[in-house]
Amino acid sequence: MNTPYYAVIFTSIKNEQSIGYQEMAQQMWVLAQEQPGFLGVESARNELGITVSYWKDLPSIAKWKQNSDHMLAQQFGRDKWYSHYKVRICLVEREYEFTS
């Protein structure tokens, strides 16, 4: 990706309830890819889940947050699946990587 761009870092701790979680996560992945300004996503989960989505600009992030299907998923997360979550929005000014 060409810098600068934005990263939305979503960290979460799930409760015991998980019915419907995987299906909703998959739906949000598909829907996010269709959004203007979406650049990609990376995710990992153990006890702490971390999902980082990448966006072209702040208006794209704001529009995604207000997407009606995404808002429903957010509500389900609060009501059913998460005991805690935090969202951080960061500007990525530089990146580098190593691949062997």
Side-chain angles (χ1 to χ4, degrees):
M1 285 179 262
N2 294 328
T3 56
Y5 58 88
Y6 287 86
V8 176
I9 304 167
F10 177 78
T11 56
S12 63
I13 298 173
K14 286 182 61 198
N15 59 32
E16 299 300 315
Q17 173 98 5
S18 63
I19 296 170
Y21 179 81
Q22 273 308 120
E23 294 82 0
M24 183 64 79
Q26 181 61 34
Q27 288 174 3
M28 290 304 101
W29 160 245
V30 171
L31 185 61
Q33 291 180 79
E34 298 171 356
Q35 302 309 301
F38 177 79
L39 301 173
V41 68
E42 298 171 318
S43 185
R45 175 166 289 286
N46 283 319
E47 182 177 328
L48 177 70
I50 303 172
T51 299
V52 183
S53 59
Y54 303 100
W55 299 86
K56 175 184 171 184
D57 52 30
L58 291 172
S60 298
I61 295 168
K63 189 171 181 183
W64 170 238
K65 182 171 175 38
Q66 295 303 313
N67 176 285
S68 60
D69 291 330
H70 186 218
M71 289 176 72
L72 180 63
Q74 292 170 57
Q75 188 64 50
F76 282 164
R78 287 188 295 273
D79 293 347
K80 293 181 171 187
W81 300 312
Y82 299 123
S83 62
H84 174 81
Y85 71 81
K86 184 181 279 192
V87 177
R88 299 169 182 95
I89 300 174
C90 310
L91 176 63
V92 178
E93 295 178 342
R94 183 171 42 131
E95 71 174 24
Y96 57 90
E97 66 183 291
F98 167 80
T99 304
S100 64

